[in-house]
Amino acid sequence: MTKWRALNMKRKCLVKYYFDFFKRLLTHCCQDRFVPLWNSLNNQWFQSRNLLLIKLLSERTFIYICRVMRVRNENKETLVRQMALKMLVEKGFDGFSMQKLAKEAGVSPATLYIYFKDKDDLILQLGLTEGKRMTEATMKDFDPQMSFEEGLRVQWRNRAKYWLENSIQTCFFEQIKHSPFSSKILEAVAKDFKDPMCQFCEQAIAKKELAPMPLEVYWSIAFAPLYNLLRFHQTGRSLGTRSFVLTNEIMDQTLEKVIKALRP
Amino acid sequence: MNVIVFKTNIRLKREIKSIAPVLNTDTGIVRWNVALDDIDKILRVESDTLQPSQIIEKVAALGFLCEELQD
């Protein structure tokens, strides 16, 4: 009896020792994702009861497990963000709740609150991330040193591509524009756009490829026609009951007229 | 940074104002907020040192129900 009790005590100490070691390892590997990761692993180990397995696991294997679970967690985070965007667009900001999102995405509300402070923080974070993605897509292969015609063509191509491939995100941005989040998010998005675009326009004016004009006049001619065409394309109709599909020819034709209009 | 999430019965903004002095002065709490739009009235605390039970004690002492929201 005494021998058995002694063995049990030794086992408990060993388990505690390994747990502390693994806990520190996990904290080091996973940083802010520690809590949900540790909770799920914790249960696994307590249920396993195989002391030999714990002893045999090398540090390297354990780090591998941490990394695999961390990747799985990141996939979950992507799914949550995608789901959140979909729900925000479908139900609007007011109809959206963290609890509903948790249910749809298959995570617990507690997990959701680890990544986002509250609903407003989620919307803000989504807006900033998607805004960054949109800026990157728009600025792809664009150089402010390009000729005005070439540069504007690249801009039109990039913006149209992003708009057509990201319909949910574009709806989301429309919602943001008419919400209390507009100033914070649009300010952050504009920051990355402003400098290269300003440089591009100043160069074009200096090269006499672009006539000087107020910013709003410029934008209404340079970009508004494109967004209008995209809106027509999205609904499948233009004016009245006229059906419409956006083609490269129509885009090129419109762009040609735009460049002509902006020339000095 | 550990994030701990609690379910509470804090319903109003003035109730948040009443717990603010205690939570703000606690050196263990880096950041905290209450999500009133959630049906569970979530209290979210970021802390490196505090245990959930300690936070539950503090909030309970202020007269509110507080329980840790499990994963």
Side-chain angles (χ1 to χ4, degrees), chain A residues 169-226:
Chain A
Q169 280 87 339
T170 1
C171 284
F172 175 64
F173 277 117
E174 281 297 303
Q175 279 177 300
I176 292 273
K177 238 191 266 180
H178 303 110
S179 78
F181 302 95
S182 61
S183 50
K184 249 194 199 159
I185 294 177
L186 296 179
E187 207 182 289
V189 172
K191 211 164 37 138
D192 293 323
F193 262 120
K194 211 167 156 213
D195 287 337
M197 293 309 283
C198 274
Q199 217 187 332
F200 174 62
C201 289
E202 281 164 13
Q203 294 252 356
I205 292 175
K207 285 191 260 181
K208 303 245 191 286
E209 290 169 347
L210 168 65
M213 63 187 77
L215 180 63
E216 291 77 12
V217 176
Y218 167 72
W219 199 95
S220 302
I221 305 172
F223 294 112
L226 172 63

Side-chain angles (χ1 to χ4, degrees), chain B residues 15-29:
Chain B
E15 290 176 354
I16 301 179
K17 286 205 178 105
S18 71
I19 66 169
V22 173
L23 295 181
N24 285 337
T25 52
D26 193 319
T27 47
I29 297 178

Side-chain angles (χ1 to χ4, degrees), chain B residues 10-70:
Chain B
I10 301 170
R11 288 170 308 128
L12 308 165
K13 280 196 181 154
R14 59 182 154 91
E15 290 176 354
I16 301 179
K17 286 205 178 105
S18 71
I19 66 169
V22 173
L23 295 181
N24 285 337
T25 52
D26 193 319
T27 47
I29 297 178
V30 176
R31 216 169 292 139
W32 66 274
N33 71 289
V34 178
L36 287 178
D37 50 279
D38 192 299
I39 198 165
D40 285 337
K41 308 298 175 195
I42 303 285
L43 166 66
R44 182 182 184 273
V45 175
E46 287 181 37
S47 165
D48 270 327
T49 52
L50 292 178
Q51 295 298 317
S53 50
Q54 292 171 286
I55 301 171
I56 291 174
E57 246 180 72
K58 286 185 208 286
V59 176
L62 293 160
F64 295 103
L65 292 173
C66 181
E67 105 186 36
E68 194 182 355
L69 199 62
Q70 296 297 337

Side-chain angles (χ1 to χ4, degrees), chain A residues 10-20 51 54:
Chain A
K10 192 179 178 188
R11 179 183 285 173
K12 278 185 191 161
C13 287
L14 263 168
V15 172
K16 187 172 185 312
Y17 170 76
Y18 277 105
F19 265 112
D20 285 336
L51 193 59
I54 301 172

Side-chain angles (χ1 to χ4, degrees), chain A:
Chain A
M1 200 55 139
T2 323
K3 200 177 175 182
W4 175 81
R5 222 177 271 162
L7 190 64
N8 241 4
M9 281 310 292
K10 192 179 178 188
R11 179 183 285 173
K12 278 185 191 161
C13 287
L14 263 168
V15 172
K16 187 172 185 312
Y17 170 76
Y18 277 105
F19 265 112
D20 285 336
F21 172 65
F22 289 150
K23 198 170 177 179
R24 266 179 281 128
L25 214 57
L26 265 176
T27 324
H28 174 72
C29 291
C30 308
Q31 291 154 345
D32 63 329
R33 296 206 174 83
F34 169 74
V35 175
L37 187 52
W38 174 249
N39 280 341
S40 50
L41 257 180
N42 214 357
N43 289 333
Q44 245 177 303
W45 285 124
F46 270 121
Q47 279 157 27
S48 82
R49 285 198 204 177
N50 197 336
L51 193 59
L52 212 60
L53 186 63
I54 301 172
K55 274 166 91 172
L56 286 174
L57 262 184
S58 66
E59 180 179 317
R60 210 169 162 179
T61 316
F62 204 80
I63 292 177
Y64 170 74
I65 292 176
C66 293
R67 293 238 170 94
V68 165
M69 291 193 81
R70 186 181 188 185
V71 165
R72 256 192 259 140
N73 256 346
E74 279 173 7
N75 288 340
K76 201 87 190 194
E77 203 179 335
T78 317
L79 176 69
V80 165
R81 280 170 188 263
Q82 279 172 354
M83 206 87 240
L85 273 170
K86 185 165 160 278
M87 290 175 77
L88 280 164
V89 164
E90 282 173 7
K91 303 188 183 175
F93 288 0
D94 287 334
F96 173 87
S97 83
M98 298 284 268
Q99 296 277 350
K100 281 188 215 163
L101 173 63
K103 206 172 177 184
E104 289 285 328
V107 295
S108 72
T111 310
L112 217 52
Y113 276 105
I114 286 169
Y115 295 115
F116 307 107
K117 276 167 60 184
D118 51 25
K119 178 168 134 180
D120 288 349
D121 185 42
L122 177 127
I123 295 174
L124 194 67
Q125 277 200 43
L126 272 179
L128 293 171
T129 324
E130 292 303 322
K132 220 177 191 174
R133 255 189 82 228
M134 184 176 76
T135 315
E136 276 170 15
T138 309
M139 290 303 168
K140 186 167 182 261
D141 302 328
F142 177 78
D143 182 5
Q145 307 291 336
M146 280 172 160
S147 74
F148 185 66
E149 181 171 343
E150 210 187 333
L152 204 63
R153 181 162 284 123
V154 169
Q155 284 285 317
W156 271 46
R157 196 173 306 138
N158 289 345
R159 289 176 195 224
K161 186 167 187 275
Y162 178 84
W163 220 93
L164 294 166
E165 291 176 1
N166 297 277
S167 55
I168 295 185
Q169 280 87 339
T170 1
C171 284
F172 175 64
F173 277 117
E174 281 297 303
Q175 279 177 300
I176 292 273
K177 238 191 266 180
H178 303 110
S179 78
F181 302 95
S182 61
S183 50
K184 249 194 199 159
I185 294 177
L186 296 179
E187 207 182 289
V189 172
K191 211 164 37 138
D192 293 323
F193 262 120
K194 211 167 156 213
D195 287 337
M197 293 309 283
C198 274
Q199 217 187 332
F200 174 62
C201 289
E202 281 164 13
Q203 294 252 356
I205 292 175
K207 285 191 260 181
K208 303 245 191 286
E209 290 169 347
L210 168 65
M213 63 187 77
L215 180 63
E216 291 77 12
V217 176
Y218 167 72
W219 199 95
S220 302
I221 305 172
F223 294 112
L226 172 63
Y227 289 115
N228 208 46
L229 286 171
L230 289 167
R231 262 186 273 270
F232 282 166
H233 178 83
Q234 195 184 41
T235 55
R237 295 200 185 291
S238 59
L239 301 163
T241 51
R242 283 171 66 89
S243 66
F244 179 79
V245 171
L246 181 60
T247 62
N248 280 329
E249 287 76 39
I250 292 183
M251 226 168 85
D252 287 337
Q253 207 176 6
T254 317
L255 181 60
E256 194 193 307
K257 296 290 179 208
V258 165
I259 292 173
K260 200 171 178 184
L262 291 170
R263 217 172 274 151

